[in-house]
Amino acid sequence: MLPTSSKVRSSSSASRPNSMLPQYLRRIVKWQQMDIEYTFWQMLHLCTSPKVVYQHTKYHKQTKNQWARDDPAFVVICSLLLAISTLAYCAAYDHSAAHAVFVVISVLIFHFLVSGVVLATCCWFLTNAYLREEAPNSHVVEQRVEWLYAFDVHCNSFFPLFVMLYVIHYFLSPLLVAHGLIPTLLSNMLFMVAASYYHYLNFLGYDVLPFLERTTFFLYPIGIVIVLSPILILSGFNPSRYFMNVYFSQRL
């Protein structure tokens, strides 16, 4: 009876994220149910002391028996801030209202949502397939990474990157898109720090899960970023100028 009991508990916990998603999506349009103050607290600490945020994730697991957020406020606020920052770029560099709408929609969909879904799905698959600790016996309830938690980790990692590459970058963009060695150097350094911090927060998000092992795997991309940056600088590639040309080529 014990093995049967554990299988039932395991399957019910595995199906829990699937039942969470419709409820999560319904709450997106219900502002009164969102904890806005706590969301801004998380955003601030993700930029200053991210380990504190993931310490609270442990408390969330203890009180609600799930790792993922049940509050979509973080996604909603992050999307609004991303739209506002993109509009600021359009006001400074765009040439038409129609094109500005296209830029805002494409940034929201592809830079944040689609890339988030793809990255979260890849991390969700890798952690569940290769990084979980093997259960010592059949009586232990199997634990798996929730897909919604993997998307939470991406959102947490994305916010400081947003601050660096959408907000700070906006104010520095007149310098960063200029020609010359200094703009190229500063642009590559900003992108290197932003990408490295993204992967560091990704690592923290999975390292906090007690049933995962070898989570240092998520730090490996930082090494790739550090190796590539000098190569890009020496080749004269300016990521700021490249991405600004993609959207606002007629104004650069």
Side-chain angles (χ1 to χ4, degrees):
M1 293 297 292
L2 284 175
T4 305
S5 168
S6 69
K7 288 180 181 178
V8 171
R9 291 172 62 191
S10 174
S11 62
S12 64
S13 79
S15 64
R16 184 180 180 85
N18 297 328
S19 62
M20 282 169 48
L21 191 57
Q23 179 184 2
Y24 183 90
L25 294 175
R26 284 195 298 269
R27 291 185 63 183
I28 287 180
V29 295
K30 298 180 180 179
W31 278 93
Q32 65 275 17
Q33 295 184 10
M34 297 184 190
D35 193 341
I36 306 298
E37 182 178 352
Y38 179 62
T39 298
F40 280 115
W41 178 90
Q42 286 183 308
M43 289 178 169
L44 173 63
H45 283 80
L46 283 169
C47 297
T48 57
S49 51
K51 290 184 179 180
V52 174
V53 176
Y54 284 111
Q55 188 63 41
H56 279 253
T57 300
K58 291 182 180 180
Y59 302 150
H60 183 79
K61 170 63 175 176
Q62 293 169 1
T63 56
K64 298 197 175 182
N65 196 32
Q66 65 186 46
W67 291 100
R69 297 186 187 101
D70 54 359
D71 184 358
F74 196 100
V75 174
V76 173
I77 292 175
C78 198
S79 298
L80 289 175
L81 293 176
L82 185 58
I84 292 170
S85 67
T86 307
L87 283 172
Y89 277 97
C90 293
Y93 295 101
D94 212 344
H95 54 276
S96 73
H99 186 259
V101 172
F102 166 78
V103 171
V104 172
I105 293 175
S106 63
V107 166
L108 281 174
I109 292 177
F110 294 105
H111 288 208
F112 182 45
L113 295 177
V114 171
S115 64
V117 168
V118 171
L119 290 170
T121 302
C122 290
C123 292
W124 168 78
F125 173 77
L126 287 172
T127 50
N128 284 322
Y130 301 107
L131 302 183
R132 284 190 304 138
E133 292 181 345
E134 293 187 8
N137 56 68
S138 60
H139 305 301
V140 176
V141 177
E142 182 186 49
Q143 297 189 75
R144 300 181 65 85
V145 177
E146 305 155 1
W147 184 90
L148 199 54
Y149 179 76
F151 186 69
D152 281 348
V153 171
H154 162 74
C155 293
N156 290 345
S157 304
F158 179 86
F159 182 75
L161 182 144
F162 157 77
V163 172
M164 285 184 267
L165 296 187
Y166 291 83
V167 180
I168 296 175
H169 185 279
Y170 173 78
F171 294 103
L172 296 179
S173 59
L175 170 62
L176 297 177
V177 300
H179 294 280
L181 176 61
I182 299 301
T184 300
L185 177 64
L186 292 176
S187 178
N188 277 280
M189 291 295 292
L190 183 61
F191 274 76
M192 180 188 73
V193 172
S196 298
Y197 198 67
Y198 174 91
H199 290 293
Y200 172 66
L201 290 188
N202 217 35
F203 158 73
L204 290 182
Y206 294 104
D207 190 56
V208 76
L209 302 180
F211 54 90
L212 294 183
E213 57 185 3
R214 304 187 303 277
T215 52
T216 51
F217 167 81
F218 293 103
L219 294 175
Y220 294 165
I222 297 178
I224 298 174
V225 171
I226 293 174
V227 169
L228 282 178
S229 292
I231 298 174
L232 295 176
I233 292 171
L234 292 174
S235 67
F237 176 75
N238 186 327
S240 297
R241 190 170 183 82
Y242 171 79
F243 286 110
M244 294 289 281
N245 271 317
V246 169
Y247 290 105
F248 310 114
S249 57
Q250 296 186 20
R251 293 296 301 273
L252 293 180

